[in-house]
Amino acid sequence: MSTTMSPGNPKHFLLTTVHALGHIRPDAGVVSALVKTDPNLVFTVLLPELVVPAFTQELARWSVTDGGLARIRVIGTGKKSAKPDPSQLAQWLMELLHSQTKELRESYQSLIQRGSLTCMSTGTVFDYQHIVPPCAVFCDTATPNFAQYLKQTTPDVKLINIWTITAGSILRKDGKYEDGGLHGLDVRAQTIFDKGEDGGKTFDEVAHSICRDPCVGKLLPSPDGVKMYDYEAEPQGLRALLSTPMMMTSMQQATQFADASIAATTSVFEPKSSIVLQNWYEGELGKRIFNFGPLVVFSTAPFQAPSSDTRRLCEPVYDFLDSHPPKSVMLVSFGSMFFPTRAWQLEAVIKVLLETRTPFIMSRAPVMYQPLDPELEKTTEKSGLGLIVDFVPQREVLAHPSLGSFLSHGGNNSMFESIAAGVVNVFWPMIGDQPLHAAYMTQVVRVGEAAQPPARGGKVEGTPAAVAAEFKLILSEIKGEIGERKQKNLQAVRQQTLDALKEGGEVERDVRACLRFASGEA
């Protein structure tokens, strides 16, 4: 099968993204928002072959017209990759990224030479003879090894970095050192290395130690007043040495090679952090930043019922939801990648759910999933109170009237989806932006074994009895006056978020400004 386009398309953008669903979903939001805004825009999407169906499905959710979809060319590269062993996750990620970098470079050469590209997922051949080369490339922050090559090859092409996280998380990840960030990590590591103060460590090991040390119980800087100790930033100790080089090149993409960046937030959601980020990124680095809002919340309209295809694929899930009263079911889902590192902690939570007769649905989709005690799974199945499945259509489930609460890792997508659905979130953060979201959105932060006190007070212990007692308290609060107050607060945040997405709101203004910038019109 071959696809061509008539000559005369005046504008062509390229998006590069990665295999992770947590990135694919907001990246699809970027593409859809821009294509819906400009009827003359062609968008090529280069991504790993194994996630082409997921990206295409996300595009369908955005209500892009058939004409708009025809201007989006989703092209899978590379070969199929088996699901990795959780213990080898970091190694698998790095190998996948290195392989993708080579494939992106080859594909980009075909684009600028007006050749053709074949989607390795569908077999479709896309001809670029009559399409101008891209004038702007949107790079997900997790595809950083392509940025330097892009700027060396075509320096006049605009590079727009996509941060699929909030302003506070961006400051924590890539911001200035005095603001609690790691900006200049490579320079700091090189200085230690050059002075011979590395203690026999490699350059990557020195950089890794800067990321993790020292954790001495100091409060991390936060423009919006989030109280959080340094050791709370990595409650599960998941950051692997292999991920540090990728983090440094990601930082270089955003702060050195990029001409602009997109943030998945609004200034209303985190006003002070947004101002600090803008002052640094635009005022000091001389780049542009655009707030595209929560890119998974793609409409101000109420959530709709699932499609017939989704309903058919997940029939047991919907049968379970339909059989329970409103606001009674808890969804337990940790995204597509992460899962609690100590299975016994989650088992303690499940036992509390059964003991309190709280109906729940749990997803075992994450790459890092660890099997639970088979006897507990059997008990759960026999009770009729719990449903443990391989996949949950999270957004649709959150929208179901029976859904009352959500136990999640607190990733950006999950946080904003729960806000949009008006569902109270109980956070179990793992890494990255998740601990900050937990601290920002709640008064309770879950931390790992041998944990130290959270900055907001209280005592946290890493024992089965302590986990069970804490979770019982959380459930009782959700079902009582505290839960009612949290629900009221949540509705206010929800309305603010949706207001930013309305016609003429902050998100639409920034989408249009980004479009002009990427097109060379501003």
Side-chain angles (χ1 to χ4, degrees):
M1 180 179 178
S2 179
T3 298
T4 59
M5 275 191 178
S6 59
N9 294 300
K11 202 175 301 179
H12 181 200
F13 292 169
L14 168 66
L15 170 83
T16 67
T17 187
V18 291
H19 65 284
L21 189 61
H23 289 256
I24 286 170
R25 300 186 64 196
D27 289 342
V30 169
V31 172
S32 300
L34 292 168
V35 166
K36 290 170 73 173
T37 303
D38 188 341
N40 295 314
L41 174 62
V42 176
F43 228 123
T44 295
V45 179
L46 297 178
L47 72 173
E49 178 274 339
L50 71 164
V51 290
V52 166
F55 193 92
T56 304
Q57 183 181 35
E58 286 303 314
L59 289 177
R61 290 180 166 189
W62 272 82
S63 302
V64 182
T65 63
D66 290 343
L69 289 174
R71 291 184 281 114
I72 303 174
R73 300 175 151 210
V74 183
I75 302 176
T77 64
K79 301 177 181 179
K80 291 185 180 293
S81 177
K83 190 174 181 179
D85 183 321
S87 65
Q88 301 296 317
L89 179 61
Q91 181 69 39
W92 177 76
L93 287 173
M94 295 306 297
E95 290 175 357
L96 199 63
L97 286 170
H98 285 310
S99 173
Q100 186 185 8
T101 299
K102 179 177 180 293
E103 294 151 4
L104 285 175
R105 292 178 178 183
E106 294 172 351
S107 298
Y108 187 62
Q109 283 297 321
S110 294
L111 286 179
I112 61 179
Q113 293 170 10
R114 299 197 181 195
S116 62
L117 290 174
T118 301
C119 176
M120 303 307 292
S121 176
T122 64
T124 304
V125 178
F126 292 91
D127 179 26
Y128 283 87
Q129 180 181 357
H130 300 298
I131 298 179
V132 296
C135 61
V137 178
F138 293 72
C139 278
D140 184 283
T141 190
T143 54
N145 291 329
F146 179 59
Q148 184 173 2
Y149 173 80
L150 170 71
K151 278 301 187 179
Q152 289 174 342
T153 306
T154 49
D156 294 333
V157 171
K158 293 285 178 60
L159 171 59
I160 299 170
N161 171 70
I162 302 177
W163 276 311
T164 57
I165 52 180
T166 58
S169 300
I170 293 168
L171 291 172
R172 187 67 48 79
K173 174 180 175 288
D174 292 341
K176 294 194 299 183
Y177 180 70
E178 53 265 40
D179 291 331
L182 292 169
H183 181 57
L185 173 62
D186 53 340
V187 176
R188 290 161 59 197
Q190 190 64 52
T191 299
I192 293 173
F193 205 68
D194 291 343
K195 288 182 177 180
E197 299 173 353
D198 51 86
K201 297 178 181 178
T202 65
F203 175 81
D204 289 344
E205 288 172 339
V206 170
H208 186 66
S209 66
I210 294 174
C211 294
R212 301 205 61 177
D213 297 330
C215 286
V216 295
K218 68 176 181 179
L219 285 172
L220 293 172
S222 170
D224 283 294
V226 177
K227 292 183 178 181
M228 185 167 139
Y229 289 129
D230 48 15
Y231 52 72
E232 292 182 272
E234 284 190 45
Q236 309 297 334
L238 283 176
R239 180 173 290 165
L241 173 60
L242 284 171
S243 68
T244 302
M246 188 191 80
M247 186 172 66
M248 286 190 289
T249 50
S250 172
M251 192 181 302
Q252 289 172 342
Q253 171 176 296
T255 62
Q256 181 178 341
F257 300 117
D259 300 290
S261 280
I262 289 170
T265 189
T266 68
S267 60
V268 175
F269 181 71
E270 41 185 351
K272 294 180 181 178
S273 291
S274 294
I275 292 173
V276 171
L277 175 60
Q278 184 176 25
N279 289 343
W280 166 63
Y281 200 68
E282 295 193 342
E284 296 185 32
L285 298 186
K287 303 176 184 296
R288 294 289 303 276
I289 189 162
F290 307 99
N291 287 339
F292 271 42
L295 296 169
V296 293
V297 185
F298 41 82
S299 173
T300 56
F303 282 109
Q304 298 178 349
S307 66
S308 57
D309 288 342
T310 301
R311 176 95 196 192
R312 183 175 62 256
L313 289 171
C314 304
E315 197 70 38
V317 172
Y318 289 105
D319 287 346
F320 185 89
L321 290 167
D322 292 344
S323 67
H324 288 88
K327 299 291 183 182
S328 65
V329 179
M330 171 174 275
L331 173 62
V332 181
S333 178
F334 302 99
S336 60
M337 184 66 67
F338 299 102
F339 200 77
T341 54
R342 303 169 186 87
W344 62 262
Q345 291 181 327
L346 185 57
E347 290 170 357
V349 166
I350 291 175
K351 290 174 183 178
V352 170
L353 289 169
L354 295 175
E355 179 185 336
T356 58
R357 300 198 61 77
T358 303
F360 70 95
I361 298 172
M362 192 191 90
S363 168
R364 51 186 171 215
V367 171
M368 294 177 62
Y369 174 75
Q370 296 187 36
L372 302 177
D373 179 0
E375 291 302 317
L376 180 59
E377 290 209 30
K378 289 180 183 178
T379 301
T380 299
E381 183 178 359
K382 289 179 181 179
S383 71
L385 288 167
L387 181 67
I388 302 176
V389 292
D390 293 332
F391 171 75
V392 171
Q394 184 169 289
R395 184 178 183 274
E396 288 80 2
V397 168
L398 286 169
H400 196 283
S402 294
L403 215 287
S405 56
F406 181 25
L407 175 59
S408 84
H409 62 316
N412 208 58
N413 296 343
S414 294
M415 178 180 67
F416 277 118
E417 281 184 335
S418 64
I419 290 173
V423 173
V424 173
N425 208 323
V426 179
F427 292 98
W428 190 329
M430 313 284 168
I431 196 174
D433 57 348
Q434 303 156 20
L436 180 62
H437 293 159
Y440 190 62
M441 292 291 291
T442 75
Q443 294 300 306
V444 177
V445 171
R446 299 191 61 85
V447 291
E449 193 171 352
Q452 301 174 67
R456 287 154 308 286
K459 183 180 180 182
V460 181
E461 298 178 31
T463 66
V467 171
E470 181 185 353
F471 197 68
K472 281 183 183 178
L473 176 61
I474 290 172
L475 285 180
S476 66
E477 290 180 345
I478 288 176
K479 298 173 183 179
E481 292 183 7
I482 292 178
E484 292 178 3
R485 185 173 71 248
K486 288 182 180 294
Q487 183 63 238
K488 184 178 179 180
N489 294 339
L490 177 62
Q491 291 304 321
V493 175
R494 177 180 183 273
Q495 191 56 54
Q496 289 176 340
T497 304
L498 294 181
D499 285 346
L501 293 169
K502 288 181 178 179
E503 185 176 352
E506 177 188 2
V507 171
E508 182 184 281
R509 293 195 301 270
D510 274 27
V511 168
R512 291 187 179 279
C514 180
L515 183 60
R516 292 192 298 271
F517 178 83
S519 304
E521 300 169 4

